[in-house]
Amino acid sequence: MTAATVPDELWNSVGSPTRRRLLTVGVEAFAVRGFHGTTTRDIAARAGLSPAALYVHYRTKELLLFDISRIGHTESLVALERAGAGVTDPVERVRTLVAHFAERHARHHALGRVVHYELPALTPEHRAEVVVTRRKIERVFRDTVAAGVAEGVFRVDDVADAGLALLSLSLDICRWWGQGRPRSPRRLADHYANLAVAMLGAAAG
Amino acid sequence: MTAATVPDELWNSVGSPTRRRLLTVGVEAFAVRGFHGTTTRDIAARAGLSPAALYVHYRTKELLLFDISRIGHTESLVALERAGAGVTDPVERVRTLVAHFAERHARHHALGRVVHYELPALTPEHRAEVVVTRRKIERVFRDTVAAGVAEGVFRVDDVADAGLALLSLSLDICRWWGQGRPRSPRRLADHYANLAVAMLGAAAG
């Protein structure tokens, strides 16, 4: 599982190799049994460390989840912005953003489950910090919808709701991916990109 | 929270009032701390029972989750089919099904989180049983897309992917509902119904 658990360069900002390994096994453990169902002992064992050695890097399990969540969200925003950089036509931009996000959530569904579904397990302070980045990700989608509406290319009842719908469309893939229904991430991403463009009232194809 | 945790008549098939209460507090507990993070002691305490009294009704925590999941899925399918009964025009049918499912997942988001996100916590046998009902729910959406494609009303790349996309659109609401962004469930459902129809390549409004 390790090879595909997270995007290759996700932990690049983390200097310590041990810490990078802990972040990856943390994703694997939390994705399978949930944050509350995982013990620090489980995580140490998966990483081949003693509980004391784990403690050197993460004094609590919540701090490990916070690092996963913080870095996961930040890198997701960076990758999304990079995918959409220079793509200004609203139709092409929606297609690009949704395809990118859909493919990411198919390929790295375990990471997706942890960062999206374990959010309530963070302390209020840590959650508030992550939510700032979540809102920026939402805004990337919402602003793109708004730009298309302003140009008369898209027609929706409510820009914010349509932005959330774009996000749901690509994000929910991390829930069902791997439960049967085998697919190519790339093909699914292309199909979803077309659905997204049509959803906003733009002419399809 | 109790009043709105589950639809009014969800546990009607369950004879024992104590068992109905256990099912509801089970939903509340699992929604907040996850299946693995909840003890049978937590559930007994929430229901005002001793652990021994809980044991009379559910010998394991997994059996309680299985009952929640089994009944939750079955009733969701029944309600979905009831909502769509007699609605044969594909456009109207998509609108009706998506609006129903979206409103249900907004109003009963805790139930949604438990039945959708705790599925991996079931035993393989129990999960297989629930998945049969899940596939029927998916089929309701997929068959509606297929009917619209056959009538030349909808145009999509892939019927199965479009069916999953309809499901994701309405289901993912249970993830973000209650995390800020206050909305009327009914208005959101209407907006999503319009987005869904447009997504399938039908003329909007």
Side-chain angles (χ1 to χ4, degrees):
Chain A
M1 183 168 171
T2 307
T5 305
V6 301
D8 278 347
E9 306 184 342
L10 186 64
W11 314 129
N12 272 4
S13 64
V14 178
S16 153
T18 306
R19 207 157 171 150
R20 290 201 295 267
R21 190 161 82 243
L22 284 169
L23 289 163
T24 296
V25 302
V27 170
E28 292 172 352
F30 295 151
V32 172
R33 290 188 50 93
F35 173 78
H36 294 293
T38 305
T39 63
T40 49
R41 192 170 288 272
D42 295 335
I43 293 163
R46 274 177 183 261
L49 294 177
S50 68
L54 166 59
Y55 186 83
V56 171
H57 294 282
Y58 290 102
R59 285 195 308 170
T60 69
K61 190 175 62 158
E62 196 272 342
L63 284 169
L64 175 60
L65 176 65
F66 176 50
D67 245 14
I68 290 169
S69 199
R70 186 177 56 77
I71 300 171
H73 277 86
T74 304
E75 291 306 307
S76 180
L77 174 62
V78 167
L80 184 68
E81 286 176 333
R82 194 187 300 133
V87 186
T88 53
D89 172 68
V91 169
E92 266 324 293
R93 194 168 161 81
V94 163
R95 204 184 294 280
T96 304
L97 295 175
V98 168
H100 165 81
F101 220 59
E103 188 169 349
R104 186 178 178 96
H105 281 82
R107 290 195 190 283
H108 309 295
H109 51 279
L111 176 66
R113 283 179 209 160
V114 174
V115 302
H116 298 307
Y117 303 154
E118 298 295 345
L119 200 64
L122 293 173
T123 65
E125 294 71 23
H126 288 163
R127 192 163 58 242
E129 189 175 327
V130 170
V131 165
V132 171
T133 312
R134 282 183 87 78
R135 294 292 196 251
K136 287 182 188 168
I137 292 173
E138 287 179 25
R139 207 172 305 137
V140 171
F141 286 98
R142 194 176 62 232
D143 287 353
T144 304
V145 177
V149 169
E151 288 190 28
V153 183
F154 298 149
R155 191 177 47 176
V156 298
D157 296 312
D158 184 284
V159 168
D161 284 357
L164 281 170
L166 287 182
L167 204 62
S168 284
L169 197 64
S170 17
L171 189 157
D172 188 58
I173 293 169
C174 77
R175 177 185 55 80
W176 58 261
W177 193 269
Q179 297 178 4
R181 323 182 194 73
R183 277 163 167 73
S184 141
R186 189 65 237 163
R187 266 176 62 86
L188 181 74
D190 283 343
H191 293 167
Y192 272 38
N194 288 335
L195 291 170
V197 166
M199 183 168 88
L200 300 174
Chain B
M1 181 168 169
T2 307
T5 304
V6 299
D8 279 347
E9 308 183 342
L10 186 64
W11 315 128
N12 272 5
S13 64
V14 179
S16 153
T18 306
R19 208 156 169 149
R20 290 202 294 269
R21 191 160 82 244
L22 284 169
L23 289 163
T24 297
V25 301
V27 171
E28 293 172 353
F30 295 151
V32 172
R33 291 188 48 93
F35 173 78
H36 294 293
T38 304
T39 63
T40 49
R41 194 169 287 273
D42 295 335
I43 293 162
R46 274 178 183 260
L49 294 177
S50 69
L54 166 60
Y55 186 82
V56 171
H57 294 282
Y58 290 103
R59 285 194 309 170
T60 69
K61 191 174 64 157
E62 195 271 342
L63 286 169
L64 175 62
L65 176 65
F66 177 50
D67 244 14
I68 290 169
S69 200
R70 187 177 55 78
I71 300 172
H73 276 86
T74 304
E75 291 305 307
S76 181
L77 174 62
V78 167
L80 185 68
E81 286 176 333
R82 195 188 300 134
V87 185
T88 52
D89 173 68
V91 169
E92 265 324 294
R93 194 168 161 81
V94 163
R95 205 185 293 281
T96 303
L97 295 175
V98 169
H100 165 82
F101 220 60
E103 188 169 349
R104 186 179 178 96
H105 281 82
R107 292 197 189 281
H108 308 297
H109 50 278
L111 176 65
R113 281 178 210 161
V114 174
V115 302
H116 299 308
Y117 303 153
E118 299 294 345
L119 201 64
L122 293 173
T123 64
E125 294 73 21
H126 289 164
R127 191 163 58 240
E129 190 176 326
V130 170
V131 164
V132 171
T133 311
R134 282 183 86 79
R135 294 293 195 251
K136 287 182 186 166
I137 292 173
E138 286 179 24
R139 206 172 306 138
V140 171
F141 285 98
R142 195 178 58 231
D143 287 353
T144 304
V145 176
V149 168
E151 288 189 26
V153 183
F154 297 148
R155 191 179 46 176
V156 299
D157 296 311
D158 183 284
V159 168
D161 284 357
L164 281 170
L166 286 183
L167 204 62
S168 284
L169 197 64
S170 16
L171 189 157
D172 188 58
I173 293 169
C174 77
R175 177 185 56 81
W176 58 261
W177 193 269
Q179 297 179 3
R181 323 183 194 73
R183 277 162 167 73
S184 142
R186 188 65 237 162
R187 267 176 62 86
L188 180 74
D190 284 343
H191 293 168
Y192 273 38
N194 289 334
L195 291 170
V197 166
M199 186 168 86
L200 301 174

